[in-house]
Amino acid sequence: MKQGDKPVHGMWTSRWAFILAATGSAVGLGNIWKFPYFAGEYGGGAFVLVYLLCIALVGVPIMVAEVMLGRKGGMSPVHTMIKLAAESKVSRRWAGIGYMGALAGFLILSFYSVIAGWTLYYIWDMAQGGFQGISAAGSLAHFEGMQANAWLMLGCHTAFMILTMWVVARGVSRGLEKAVQVLMPLLFVLLIGLVVYASTTPGFAQGVNFMFHTDFSKLSGKAVMAALGQAFFTLSLGMGAIMVYGAYMPREVKDRRTGQTRRVSIVSTVGIIALLDTLVALGAGLVIFPVVFSNGLEPSQGPGLLFVTLPLAFGQMPAGVIVGTVFFVLVMCSALSSSISLGEPMVAWLVERGLGRPLAALVVGLTAWVIGIGTVLSFNYWKDVTFLVGTFFQNIDFLASSLMLPLGGMLIAIFAGWVMKETQARKELAMKSFGLYMIWRAVVRIVAPLAVAAVFLNALIGALGG
Ligand code: PHE
């Protein structure tokens, strides 16, 4: 396939299309499923605070860098990095950022699809009224019953992976853009409604206190590492998803009202995405923890947290069958708009190597599906088979989310801050405020790499010491 300057992948049709797609990538299971269960597991407030700091100090600047590199390169992360390395006259090895990212996205996709598969089962169950008037113990038993059934989980994992690859195969603007336009706003509205509902439950004050009361004695090196990894995970950073979406971002758009072209600002765009992502995560916590405390449940129960607590709330509220079904449909859709971006760096790379899009999607989907079987089994037959940091699922998650994403993000920051010509970065970003630009530059050069290095070192010392 020819790879001149002409894009082989298509483009977003507007700035909003990019914002929606990138928000669709960012907002997903990471916000609604993972953030609350991590916060629960790592003790609440202090974890939440470190997470928010990681988003603001490390995540946002790296996201700016990633979009900038992507838009400059205009191709899959691998080829973008090859191109930019050549332009900066440095080693081709910088393409390693692209390869490692594609691999990380691929590993995440393998387990992401399994968890998203749970939402499919919950939609089905919820719609049938399976949770009406259910007790806390009943809800837990329900979840455990699903986990014990490996065939059921495999079926849902398969269905979700097919759905993902179908959208990916349809391509950038036809497939991805259409779906998120409707779903994202809907998810917001429903989440706000649920927070209002949660505020009427007796455990609300306790839930809020759990999330925002910072008790640093509970904070371990492992928790800080998890918070950093989660910041990367939730913003889809460090693996090229945002880079490849940036590659589909136009430099200029026509203003609908005035008809004039204007530049698309990367910084304000990223600000909107990070803000929306953070609001959804906090919103999910504000729904889940009040329900936990209202029903005497454990906040630290792990990956089942979302799936045990919310059905309880839906089982108690009026019109719970409808609200609950719609909610899980939206969670499923927001997972879908994330999972398509997990495969995209690898798919885009294969397309540039000459594969047709549908075939590339098939190859990526099928391989990730096979690895995902390991995650399916981690909840039943292999539940007690643990090594390194835990089950197969926990190892894949830790390797990809806690190690590869921060490492990838650090390399992206170093490339944007130290390797690339300063004038090039400044031109591509075209920030209006020079002061803001200097802050960004200081962060990607110094703060972000040091923060990642410090967290890694701290965890390493903790592991060796403990
Ligand atoms: N950000 C997504 C979520 O929070 C997950 C994701 C990670 C998507 C990395 C793409 C890349 O669910």
mmCIF file of all heavy atoms in Angstrom, residues 24-32 105 108 112 230 232-237 239 241-242 277 334-335 337-339 341-342 405, ligand 1:
data_model
loop_
_atom_site.group_PDB
_atom_site.id
_atom_site.type_symbol
_atom_site.label_atom_id
_atom_site.label_comp_id
_atom_site.label_asym_id
_atom_site.label_seq_id
_atom_site.Cartn_x
_atom_site.Cartn_y
_atom_site.Cartn_z
ATOM 1 N N GLY A 24 -14.806 8.866 24.011
ATOM 2 C CA GLY A 24 -15.316 7.496 23.948
ATOM 3 C C GLY A 24 -14.237 6.491 24.285
ATOM 4 O O GLY A 24 -14.483 5.500 24.965
ATOM 5 N N SER A 25 -13.031 6.764 23.818
ATOM 6 C CA SER A 25 -11.916 5.872 24.142
ATOM 7 C C SER A 25 -11.588 5.956 25.624
ATOM 8 O O SER A 25 -11.394 4.947 26.298
ATOM 9 C CB SER A 25 -10.685 6.254 23.317
ATOM 10 O OG SER A 25 -9.544 5.635 23.842
ATOM 11 N N ALA A 26 -11.540 7.162 26.152
ATOM 12 C CA ALA A 26 -11.131 7.349 27.547
ATOM 13 C C ALA A 26 -12.181 6.814 28.515
ATOM 14 O O ALA A 26 -11.882 6.053 29.430
ATOM 15 C CB ALA A 26 -10.874 8.836 27.802
ATOM 16 N N VAL A 27 -13.424 7.202 28.297
ATOM 17 C CA VAL A 27 -14.484 6.782 29.219
ATOM 18 C C VAL A 27 -14.876 5.349 28.915
ATOM 19 O O VAL A 27 -15.246 5.027 27.789
ATOM 20 C CB VAL A 27 -15.722 7.685 29.075
ATOM 21 C CG1 VAL A 27 -16.860 7.158 29.931
ATOM 22 C CG2 VAL A 27 -15.378 9.108 29.461
ATOM 23 N N GLY A 28 -14.759 4.508 29.900
ATOM 24 C CA GLY A 28 -15.108 3.108 29.661
ATOM 25 C C GLY A 28 -15.092 2.331 30.957
ATOM 26 O O GLY A 28 -15.346 2.889 32.030
ATOM 27 N N LEU A 29 -14.766 1.068 30.859
ATOM 28 C CA LEU A 29 -14.732 0.231 32.054
ATOM 29 C C LEU A 29 -13.737 0.771 33.074
ATOM 30 O O LEU A 29 -13.887 0.562 34.267
ATOM 31 C CB LEU A 29 -14.341 -1.197 31.673
ATOM 32 C CG LEU A 29 -15.326 -1.930 30.766
ATOM 33 C CD1 LEU A 29 -14.765 -3.279 30.364
ATOM 34 C CD2 LEU A 29 -16.657 -2.122 31.487
ATOM 35 N N GLY A 30 -12.717 1.457 32.577
ATOM 36 C CA GLY A 30 -11.724 2.041 33.471
ATOM 37 C C GLY A 30 -12.359 2.989 34.467
ATOM 38 O O GLY A 30 -11.963 3.048 35.635
ATOM 39 N N ASN A 31 -13.349 3.728 34.044
ATOM 40 C CA ASN A 31 -14.010 4.683 34.920
ATOM 41 C C ASN A 31 -15.077 4.032 35.783
ATOM 42 O O ASN A 31 -15.181 4.299 36.966
ATOM 43 C CB ASN A 31 -14.716 5.774 34.095
ATOM 44 C CG ASN A 31 -13.800 6.374 33.067
ATOM 45 O OD1 ASN A 31 -13.305 5.672 32.188
ATOM 46 N ND2 ASN A 31 -13.555 7.650 33.180
ATOM 47 N N ILE A 32 -15.887 3.202 35.155
ATOM 48 C CA ILE A 32 -17.096 2.735 35.835
ATOM 49 C C ILE A 32 -16.841 1.446 36.616
ATOM 50 O O ILE A 32 -17.387 1.230 37.686
ATOM 51 C CB ILE A 32 -18.225 2.537 34.794
ATOM 52 C CG1 ILE A 32 -18.445 3.859 34.045
ATOM 53 C CG2 ILE A 32 -19.524 2.114 35.462
ATOM 54 C CD1 ILE A 32 -19.268 3.717 32.801
ATOM 55 N N GLY A 105 -1.951 -2.493 24.095
ATOM 56 C CA GLY A 105 -3.362 -2.347 23.768
ATOM 57 C C GLY A 105 -4.011 -3.688 23.502
ATOM 58 O O GLY A 105 -5.143 -3.960 23.920
ATOM 59 N N ILE A 108 -4.476 -5.514 26.797
ATOM 60 C CA ILE A 108 -5.621 -4.956 27.534
ATOM 61 C C ILE A 108 -6.921 -5.401 26.869
ATOM 62 O O ILE A 108 -7.868 -5.808 27.535
ATOM 63 C CB ILE A 108 -5.529 -3.414 27.598
ATOM 64 C CG1 ILE A 108 -4.315 -2.998 28.422
ATOM 65 C CG2 ILE A 108 -6.799 -2.824 28.205
ATOM 66 C CD1 ILE A 108 -4.048 -1.502 28.450
ATOM 67 N N TYR A 112 -10.216 -6.864 28.554
ATOM 68 C CA TYR A 112 -11.286 -5.863 28.498
ATOM 69 C C TYR A 112 -12.562 -6.479 27.938
ATOM 70 O O TYR A 112 -13.665 -6.236 28.408
ATOM 71 C CB TYR A 112 -10.820 -4.723 27.593
ATOM 72 C CG TYR A 112 -11.442 -3.388 27.883
ATOM 73 C CD1 TYR A 112 -10.923 -2.561 28.869
ATOM 74 C CD2 TYR A 112 -12.533 -2.940 27.162
ATOM 75 C CE1 TYR A 112 -11.474 -1.313 29.125
ATOM 76 C CE2 TYR A 112 -13.084 -1.693 27.413
ATOM 77 C CZ TYR A 112 -12.554 -0.890 28.392
ATOM 78 O OH TYR A 112 -13.103 0.338 28.640
ATOM 79 N N GLN A 230 -3.584 3.561 36.716
ATOM 80 C CA GLN A 230 -4.995 3.832 36.462
ATOM 81 C C GLN A 230 -5.181 5.160 35.735
ATOM 82 O O GLN A 230 -6.042 5.281 34.863
ATOM 83 C CB GLN A 230 -5.769 3.798 37.789
ATOM 84 C CG GLN A 230 -7.226 4.198 37.708
ATOM 85 C CD GLN A 230 -8.057 3.291 36.805
ATOM 86 O OE1 GLN A 230 -7.601 2.235 36.368
ATOM 87 N NE2 GLN A 230 -9.262 3.713 36.490
ATOM 88 N N PHE A 232 -3.158 6.430 33.579
ATOM 89 C CA PHE A 232 -2.852 6.150 32.179
ATOM 90 C C PHE A 232 -3.975 5.353 31.523
ATOM 91 O O PHE A 232 -4.401 5.625 30.409
ATOM 92 C CB PHE A 232 -1.539 5.380 32.055
ATOM 93 C CG PHE A 232 -0.333 6.265 32.118
ATOM 94 C CD1 PHE A 232 0.301 6.508 33.316
ATOM 95 C CD2 PHE A 232 0.165 6.858 30.969
ATOM 96 C CE1 PHE A 232 1.411 7.346 33.379
ATOM 97 C CE2 PHE A 232 1.265 7.687 31.017
ATOM 98 C CZ PHE A 232 1.895 7.933 32.229
ATOM 99 N N PHE A 233 -4.418 4.342 32.242
ATOM 100 C CA PHE A 233 -5.449 3.454 31.705
ATOM 101 C C PHE A 233 -6.717 4.239 31.377
ATOM 102 O O PHE A 233 -7.268 4.148 30.280
ATOM 103 C CB PHE A 233 -5.759 2.367 32.739
ATOM 104 C CG PHE A 233 -6.686 1.287 32.255
ATOM 105 C CD1 PHE A 233 -6.193 0.143 31.652
ATOM 106 C CD2 PHE A 233 -8.065 1.405 32.414
ATOM 107 C CE1 PHE A 233 -7.042 -0.858 31.212
ATOM 108 C CE2 PHE A 233 -8.928 0.411 31.966
ATOM 109 C CZ PHE A 233 -8.410 -0.721 31.364
ATOM 110 N N THR A 234 -7.146 5.049 32.313
ATOM 111 C CA THR A 234 -8.427 5.714 32.137
ATOM 112 C C THR A 234 -8.384 6.767 31.041
ATOM 113 O O THR A 234 -9.369 7.021 30.368
ATOM 114 C CB THR A 234 -8.922 6.324 33.466
ATOM 115 O OG1 THR A 234 -10.278 6.712 33.309
ATOM 116 C CG2 THR A 234 -8.114 7.534 33.883
ATOM 117 N N LEU A 235 -7.205 7.375 30.819
ATOM 118 C CA LEU A 235 -7.107 8.355 29.739
ATOM 119 C C LEU A 235 -6.648 7.706 28.433
ATOM 120 O O LEU A 235 -6.356 8.395 27.459
ATOM 121 C CB LEU A 235 -6.147 9.480 30.131
ATOM 122 C CG LEU A 235 -6.600 10.407 31.266
ATOM 123 C CD1 LEU A 235 -5.511 11.413 31.602
ATOM 124 C CD2 LEU A 235 -7.879 11.137 30.906
ATOM 125 N N SER A 236 -6.548 6.398 28.413
ATOM 126 C CA SER A 236 -6.101 5.655 27.217
ATOM 127 C C SER A 236 -4.694 6.074 26.775
ATOM 128 O O SER A 236 -4.402 6.134 25.588
ATOM 129 C CB SER A 236 -7.042 5.861 26.030
ATOM 130 O OG SER A 236 -8.362 5.596 26.377
ATOM 131 N N LEU A 237 -3.829 6.356 27.745
ATOM 132 C CA LEU A 237 -2.510 6.890 27.401
ATOM 133 C C LEU A 237 -1.416 5.843 27.386
ATOM 134 O O LEU A 237 -1.538 4.784 27.974
ATOM 135 C CB LEU A 237 -2.104 7.947 28.430
ATOM 136 C CG LEU A 237 -2.890 9.237 28.411
ATOM 137 C CD1 LEU A 237 -2.318 10.181 29.437
ATOM 138 C CD2 LEU A 237 -2.849 9.843 27.025
ATOM 139 N N MET A 239 -0.124 4.009 25.072
ATOM 140 C CA MET A 239 -0.097 2.854 24.174
ATOM 141 C C MET A 239 -0.463 3.209 22.736
ATOM 142 O O MET A 239 -0.599 2.333 21.902
ATOM 143 C CB MET A 239 -0.961 1.706 24.702
ATOM 144 C CG MET A 239 -2.351 2.026 25.147
ATOM 145 S SD MET A 239 -3.483 2.419 23.817
ATOM 146 C CE MET A 239 -3.677 0.822 23.065
ATOM 147 N N ALA A 241 -3.229 4.726 21.508
ATOM 148 C CA ALA A 241 -4.629 4.882 21.092
ATOM 149 C C ALA A 241 -4.927 6.345 20.816
ATOM 150 O O ALA A 241 -5.526 6.702 19.796
ATOM 151 C CB ALA A 241 -5.575 4.348 22.169
ATOM 152 N N ILE A 242 -4.486 7.194 21.735
ATOM 153 C CA ILE A 242 -4.731 8.629 21.566
ATOM 154 C C ILE A 242 -3.849 9.172 20.438
ATOM 155 O O ILE A 242 -4.237 10.076 19.708
ATOM 156 C CB ILE A 242 -4.477 9.345 22.909
ATOM 157 C CG1 ILE A 242 -5.580 8.971 23.906
ATOM 158 C CG2 ILE A 242 -4.395 10.849 22.738
ATOM 159 C CD1 ILE A 242 -6.980 9.349 23.493
ATOM 160 N N ASP A 277 -13.654 12.652 31.478
ATOM 161 C CA ASP A 277 -13.255 11.334 31.966
ATOM 162 C C ASP A 277 -13.243 11.302 33.494
ATOM 163 O O ASP A 277 -13.734 10.359 34.112
ATOM 164 C CB ASP A 277 -11.865 11.002 31.412
ATOM 165 C CG ASP A 277 -11.455 9.595 31.749
ATOM 166 O OD1 ASP A 277 -11.935 8.673 31.057
ATOM 167 O OD2 ASP A 277 -10.695 9.402 32.710
ATOM 168 N N SER A 334 -20.093 2.194 26.266
ATOM 169 C CA SER A 334 -18.886 2.972 26.537
ATOM 170 C C SER A 334 -17.673 2.048 26.557
ATOM 171 O O SER A 334 -16.565 2.465 26.206
ATOM 172 C CB SER A 334 -19.006 3.768 27.837
ATOM 173 O OG SER A 334 -19.047 2.912 28.931
ATOM 174 N N ALA A 335 -17.873 0.792 26.919
ATOM 175 C CA ALA A 335 -16.777 -0.181 26.820
ATOM 176 C C ALA A 335 -16.433 -0.422 25.355
ATOM 177 O O ALA A 335 -15.265 -0.543 24.979
ATOM 178 C CB ALA A 335 -17.167 -1.493 27.501
ATOM 179 N N SER A 337 -16.791 1.684 22.831
ATOM 180 C CA SER A 337 -16.059 2.803 22.227
ATOM 181 C C SER A 337 -14.626 2.869 22.758
ATOM 182 O O SER A 337 -13.785 3.546 22.177
ATOM 183 C CB SER A 337 -16.793 4.126 22.464
ATOM 184 O OG SER A 337 -16.847 4.427 23.835
ATOM 185 N N SER A 338 -14.347 2.187 23.857
ATOM 186 C CA SER A 338 -12.958 2.085 24.321
ATOM 187 C C SER A 338 -12.247 0.912 23.660
ATOM 188 O O SER A 338 -11.092 1.020 23.258
ATOM 189 C CB SER A 338 -12.898 1.880 25.838
ATOM 190 O OG SER A 338 -13.520 2.926 26.505
ATOM 191 N N SER A 339 -12.934 -0.203 23.552
ATOM 192 C CA SER A 339 -12.248 -1.399 23.060
ATOM 193 C C SER A 339 -11.849 -1.239 21.591
ATOM 194 O O SER A 339 -10.818 -1.749 21.176
ATOM 195 C CB SER A 339 -13.114 -2.648 23.257
ATOM 196 O OG SER A 339 -14.279 -2.558 22.480
ATOM 197 N N SER A 341 -10.703 1.365 20.348
ATOM 198 C CA SER A 341 -9.452 2.128 20.295
ATOM 199 C C SER A 341 -8.280 1.306 20.816
ATOM 200 O O SER A 341 -7.131 1.631 20.558
ATOM 201 C CB SER A 341 -9.580 3.421 21.093
ATOM 202 O OG SER A 341 -9.629 3.169 22.471
ATOM 203 N N LEU A 342 -8.569 0.247 21.561
ATOM 204 C CA LEU A 342 -7.481 -0.611 22.041
ATOM 205 C C LEU A 342 -6.843 -1.373 20.891
ATOM 206 O O LEU A 342 -5.644 -1.608 20.857
ATOM 207 C CB LEU A 342 -8.016 -1.609 23.078
ATOM 208 C CG LEU A 342 -8.239 -1.042 24.464
ATOM 209 C CD1 LEU A 342 -9.111 -1.965 25.292
ATOM 210 C CD2 LEU A 342 -6.898 -0.824 25.153
ATOM 211 N N LEU A 405 1.980 0.808 30.169
ATOM 212 C CA LEU A 405 1.411 2.131 29.894
ATOM 213 C C LEU A 405 2.262 3.276 30.474
ATOM 214 O O LEU A 405 2.635 4.198 29.742
ATOM 215 C CB LEU A 405 -0.040 2.245 30.383
ATOM 216 C CG LEU A 405 -1.079 1.332 29.722
ATOM 217 C CD1 LEU A 405 -2.482 1.699 30.196
ATOM 218 C CD2 LEU A 405 -1.012 1.381 28.209
HETATM 219 N N1 PHE B 1 -9.567 4.280 28.772
HETATM 220 C C1 PHE B 1 -10.315 3.073 28.669
HETATM 221 C C2 PHE B 1 -11.164 2.923 29.902
HETATM 222 O O1 PHE B 1 -11.054 3.674 30.828
HETATM 223 C C3 PHE B 1 -9.442 1.872 28.481
HETATM 224 C C4 PHE B 1 -8.387 2.059 27.459
HETATM 225 C C5 PHE B 1 -7.053 1.994 27.806
HETATM 226 C C6 PHE B 1 -8.729 2.306 26.142
HETATM 227 C C7 PHE B 1 -6.047 2.189 26.891
HETATM 228 C C8 PHE B 1 -7.735 2.502 25.198
HETATM 229 C C9 PHE B 1 -6.417 2.461 25.558
HETATM 230 O O2 PHE B 1 -11.962 2.034 29.993
#
